[in-house]
Structures are given as structure tokens and as C-alpha cells.
Amino acid sequence: MKHTDIKNVLFNADMVGSNVVVCGWVRTFRDSAQVAFLELSDGSSFQKLQVVIDKNALQFDPECTKLGASVAVKGTVVKAYKGTGNELNAAEIALLGKCPPEYPIQKKRTTLEFLRGIPHLRLRTNTFAAVFRVRSVAAQAVHRYFHERGYYYINAPLITASDCEGAGEMFRVTTRPWNAVAKTEEEYYKNDFFGVKAGLSVSGQLEGEVAATALGKIYTFGPSFRAENSNTTRHLAEFWHIEPEIAFAELPDVIEIAEDMLKYLIRALLEECPDELKFFDSFVEKGLIEKLEHVAGSDFAVCSYTEAIEILKKENARFQFPVEWGSDLQSEHEKYLTEAVFKRPVFVTDYPKEIKSFYMKQNADGRTVAATDLLVPGIGEIIGGSEREADLNKLVAAMSERGMDMNAYRQYLDLRRFGSVPHGGFGLGFERFVMYCTGIENIRDVTLFPRSVKNIM
Ligand code: ATP
Ligand code: MN
């Protein structure tokens, strides 16, 4: 159907006087003796288009005025009687699809939790439509950022035989029947689709390293899967993961790139989504825009893990899990550091090797690795990164300490055997970034169909 996006009708002064067709869903209807007003949304903009109906001149189906109904309106664009932008004087209104009164998205403010129960309809609310417009703009900006800087976009496999961290949190991929029997694990997988144990990838990093050690600078942007049993507001079983990997980059380079990328993405949102951010600022997180402007314009903090532990130890009384050197940082510690101590994003660096992955570069102190997590107020970790161990012998030693199967990592080790180079990268959880920029506190509310423990609607 030939029609014009509401966004173009609303804000384009050249449109005044022209005849257009717009299509959309009815968001409000106001009636008076002579005129009636329909507010239409078609998803193209945060603002809705006001359609003015001269009741003496125009006949229309009353179904066209029902909340949630979809209509096509032919009319003339005029300057808005009130406020800025344009509105539409209707000449013809056609019903596309009627919407009965049991439509669950009613005008009274409904809770995010209620809307979670109707993921297929919740995008018709201001909040969710705004979240997904922001998410789309952010995704485009990610590609633009890397493309403009000469990174290649790599698609890492989602089905994999290696589990990236040696951690047991991978979903299995199998075609064997539910009641398949086997005497050993090996026998079970031998008869499976791939002939070996396979699963959904938790990270594209290892394949990213393959690409970076030939192409120089690459990034992946795709889904990662984690079968973690943690029912938090920050974890999903399926999330989108941005993972740049850069040859010849050491830890300080990785930190610089992560900070630069985040600032670029935030600036893109400030420029391209002003209405959405204003809305979140008013209704979701007071001061959001100021926060984002500040973050985009000032330096992030950097602090070593050892320094962080010194700071946290003094506050151990306030924590559920008191820390000492060697402890993994829990969410409560991460939040305390970034919210109470640094009051801005902070890179924590050089963690004890025991609590980090095998592939991270071992520091000269023999105790820590060149890793960094970026912590932000309100969320905690949004980025995990590191310089990778480029020394074959050190890598092999770290893997044997962890009892890993070298055979499964032959290709990965080859990267150190044949022309090894220093390199590094990081992973940004895309949903966590969207949470940070919208103020939305539950990761389920920035994801179209969130998957988490016992939840796959
Ligand atoms: P966390 O400690 O928060 O569980 P992690 O250390 O396991 O995260 P990494 O393996 O470092 O996470 O992954 C890189 C980034 O991917 C994280 O910083 C985070 O932004 C994101 N991420 C990791 N796991 C999840 C998840 N289950 N759901 C959503 N995002 C995630
Ligand atoms: Mn991490």
C-alpha cells in the first residue's frame, strides 16, 4: 500500500499542503461535537500523528476510533494547530483491522512486569517501541564504528565443539532422541549428529582470534548462549555479543578502544534518538541524558584489581560476600566500586589468574593476568576483555594446569605456533549496553523474546 511514514509527515515543513496516505495504529481518540482527534503511531517516530476529523464532513466506521485498531487515513498535511510539527486533516478513513476491547494494552499505565507476559504486543507501548528504536540505532552505530575504522565484520559459528572458557555452562546441541542410551559419554556423542559433543557458542572470541591474526582488526556481532542458572536482571540464556579482536593490541590498547567505542555509541544515541532518551529521562531514569553526556565527554577510571580489593576490604562490613585478594568480584562489589567510589565507568585490570580464563596473557608477577572488566553504575560489568596469551609455552602450561584437552584446541594453539603476535579484544553485552543507555533495569525488557531459566515464551 503506498503510504508515507508518520515521521516524514510530522517533521517535514515541505509536506504542508500535500495530500498523503498514512497508516498506523490508533493510540488515542478524543471526541467533541464538531471535531474528533485520532492519534496514530506507525512505529516510525516517538511522536504520534494527530489526525483531525471534521465530523460534519466525514463519515467513518466507529471501529476506526478504537484503541489499537489499525487504519489508513488519506488527508492533507497542515501545520499543527498547537505545538510544533504537522498534523493531518482527514479526508477519508479506512479500517484495516479492528481491535476488540479485550486488547491488553490499555491506556492506564501498565507495569513492565505485566507487559513481559505479552511480549508479542508490548512493542505497541511507548516504552518498548522506544527501547527497540534505540536498540536498532545502537546496532547500526556498532557496525559504523568498526567499519569506519577498518575492522572486518566476521560471523563466528554458533554451533561449536569447543567451549570457550572451559566452563560448564554450554547448551548442548544434539539430535539424539530423549531416551537414547549409552554406556559412556563418548559412545553417546559418537552416535550424535557431529560425532562429538557439540553446543551453542558462549563467545565468538576463539574464532575471532583466528580472523584477527590474519585480517588484523575484526569484530563479531551475534548471539552468544549461556546455560547459566542465574536468574538475575542482567543475565539471559541468549544475548547479543559484540566482540572486537585486534592484532598487535596490548591491554592498554584494548582499554582505549573499548572506551572510545562506548563513547561513540552513546554520542550516536544522543544525536539520533533525542525523543526516546528524553522519554526515558522523564519516566525511567531521572538524569539519564546528563549521565550519558557526561560519560561521552569525560575519561573513564582505571584501577587494578589489587587496588580495588584494597578499597573494598575497608568496606567488607557492608557486603554479603566479604572480599580478600583472590576473590571473584560479585555484583555488589562491582556496583560499589563504580557507584560509590569512582562514580563513573571504571576499568578494573589485572585480575588473579585463578579467577580468569586460560587464554589471558600472564603478567610478569606470576599471579595476575592482563584482563579488564568495565564496570558501570547501575549494572556492574558490561565489558570483559583481555590481552591474550601469545606465548605458546605459557598458554600450554595454563591449559594443563586447568586439565584442558589440548587436542580440542590444536587450531587455537597453532595461532601461537605460526607467527604469533600480541593481540587482544573484549566482549560487550549488547543488551547490557542498551540497559545502560535507556535506564531500563531488567534485561528482559530490552529483548524481544527474552530467554532465561524456565522461560521461553
Ligand atoms: P557476568 O560476570 O556478568 O556473568 P561474564 O564475566 O560471565 O559476565 P563475559 O564472559 O566476560 O561475561 O562476557 C562478556 C560480556 O557479555 C559481559 O561483560 C556482559 O556484558 C555480557 N554477558 C555475559 N553473560 C551474559 C548473559 N548471560 N546475559 C547477557 N549478557 C551477558
Ligand atoms: Mn567477564
Side-chain angles (χ1 to χ4, degrees):
M1 187 179 335
K2 275 254 183 292
H3 71 286
T4 308
D5 281 351
I6 282 176
K7 183 181 187 173
N8 297 335
V9 174
L10 265 175
F11 301 117
N12 190 345
D14 297 343
M15 291 291 279
V16 173
S18 56
N19 293 316
V20 298
V21 175
V22 301
C23 300
W25 292 269
V26 175
R27 295 294 289 271
T28 62
F29 176 64
R30 280 185 297 126
D31 203 7
S32 69
Q34 310 294 326
V35 280
F37 302 96
L38 272 186
E39 265 196 321
L40 287 192
S41 155
D42 68 355
S44 63
S45 69
F46 188 81
Q47 265 192 52
K48 285 142 218 98
L49 178 68
Q50 170 143 293
V51 175
V52 185
I53 303 166
D54 179 348
K55 285 168 67 178
N56 299 316
L58 185 61
Q59 296 284 323
F60 58 93
D61 184 342
E63 288 296 336
C64 290
T65 65
K66 298 283 156 56
L67 184 64
S70 50
V71 295
V73 183
K74 196 186 256 179
T76 311
V77 181
V78 295
K79 252 181 77 59
Y81 182 69
K82 268 197 231 152
T84 57
N86 304 328
E87 58 190 28
L88 191 67
N89 281 344
E92 238 181 277
I93 303 180
L95 182 68
L96 297 176
K98 60 181 181 180
C99 187
E102 64 265 27
Y103 181 50
I105 312 286
Q106 293 296 322
K107 242 183 298 177
K108 56 177 182 347
R109 276 187 81 90
T110 42
T111 64
L112 294 179
E113 198 169 19
F114 165 76
L115 292 168
R116 239 170 264 151
I118 43 169
H120 59 304
L121 292 173
R122 63 180 179 169
L123 270 66
R124 300 201 194 169
T125 63
N126 286 336
T127 307
F128 284 94
V131 163
F132 286 92
R133 273 193 296 271
V134 164
R135 192 173 160 134
S136 171
V137 168
Q140 299 290 348
V142 167
H143 287 297
R144 221 165 45 236
Y145 177 83
F146 288 117
H147 180 65
E148 283 170 359
R149 286 157 186 77
Y151 287 70
Y152 297 105
Y153 174 42
I154 296 298
N155 305 120
L158 301 186
I159 301 177
T160 175
S162 82
D163 96 24
C164 183
E165 318 265 332
E169 50 179 26
M170 203 162 61
F171 284 101
R172 278 184 355 197
V173 172
T174 177
T175 53
R176 294 211 68 191
W178 65 272
N179 55 353
V181 280
K183 291 212 179 56
T184 61
E185 199 183 0
E186 202 179 18
E187 184 196 300
Y188 179 95
Y189 293 116
K190 217 170 129 194
N191 292 312
D192 206 349
F193 188 91
F194 294 106
V196 291
K197 184 176 177 178
L200 294 178
S201 178
V202 299
S203 159
Q205 181 201 317
L206 301 192
E207 294 86 0
E209 289 185 50
V210 168
T213 51
L215 297 173
K217 290 184 288 191
I218 66 91
Y219 70 105
T220 66
F221 186 179
S224 283
F225 305 87
R226 301 206 178 167
E228 43 203 345
N229 214 337
S230 45
N231 220 333
T232 76
T233 54
R234 298 168 295 120
H235 290 93
L236 290 175
E238 175 182 302
F239 69 98
W240 280 67
H241 210 172
I242 297 155
E243 296 184 277
E245 189 70 32
I246 308 104
F248 320 113
E250 296 165 316
L251 188 65
D253 305 306
V254 170
I255 289 176
E256 198 179 308
I257 294 161
E259 180 169 342
D260 187 54
M261 179 199 70
L262 280 178
K263 288 176 173 173
Y264 177 97
L265 298 181
I266 290 170
R267 279 196 295 269
L269 292 180
L270 286 166
E271 252 167 56
E272 294 178 58
C273 301
D275 291 345
E276 284 78 8
L277 296 185
K278 246 178 257 157
F279 170 80
F280 292 124
D281 196 317
S282 307
F283 296 106
V284 180
E285 180 182 332
K286 292 262 170 300
L288 174 77
I289 293 181
E290 205 188 316
K291 170 186 96 176
L292 294 177
E293 281 169 347
H294 182 73
V295 166
S298 53
D299 290 341
F300 294 5
V302 183
C303 159
S304 75
Y305 168 89
T306 302
E307 287 160 355
I309 289 294
E310 286 310 309
I311 295 169
L312 292 169
K313 255 166 57 180
K314 294 191 196 117
E315 303 295 333
N316 261 343
R318 69 168 70 230
F319 299 130
Q320 192 191 345
F321 303 98
V323 295
E324 55 187 302
W325 202 94
S327 327
D328 209 349
L329 298 186
Q330 305 287 332
S331 174
E332 56 174 342
H333 312 126
E334 298 182 338
K335 288 188 165 195
Y336 182 79
L337 283 174
T338 183
E339 288 167 14
V341 181
F342 292 98
K343 298 187 172 69
R344 54 187 164 137
V346 55
F347 288 101
V348 178
T349 66
D350 303 298
Y351 285 79
K353 61 180 183 194
E354 286 78 15
I355 60 171
K356 287 289 181 188
S357 300
F358 73 93
Y359 52 72
M360 295 180 176
K361 184 188 159 73
Q362 297 159 39
N363 287 330
D365 62 12
R367 309 207 299 160
T368 63
V369 288
T372 186
D373 282 359
L374 178 67
L375 315 178
V376 298
I379 298 181
E381 176 184 337
I382 66 166
I383 282 180
S386 69
E387 184 176 340
R388 321 305 187 190
E389 183 54 76
D391 182 293
L392 178 63
N393 294 329
K394 285 188 183 164
L395 184 58
V396 168
M399 290 170 73
S400 3
E401 263 172 41
R402 287 169 168 79
M404 293 172 63
D405 172 12
M406 297 298 164
N407 222 18
Y409 288 87
R410 274 198 325 269
Q411 299 175 343
Y412 192 66
L413 292 171
D414 271 356
L415 302 182
R416 279 71 181 169
R417 195 169 282 128
F418 305 122
S420 188
V421 294
H423 64 286
F426 62 85
L428 167 67
F430 188 49
E431 287 80 7
R432 290 199 190 167
F433 174 73
V434 176
M435 287 167 74
Y436 183 64
C437 296
T438 55
I440 298 281
E441 288 179 351
N442 193 317
I443 196 165
R444 289 164 186 77
D445 298 333
V446 298
T447 308
L448 195 53
F449 286 98
R451 276 80 175 87
S452 55
V453 193
K454 299 280 183 287
N455 176 23
I456 182 158
M457 277 176 90

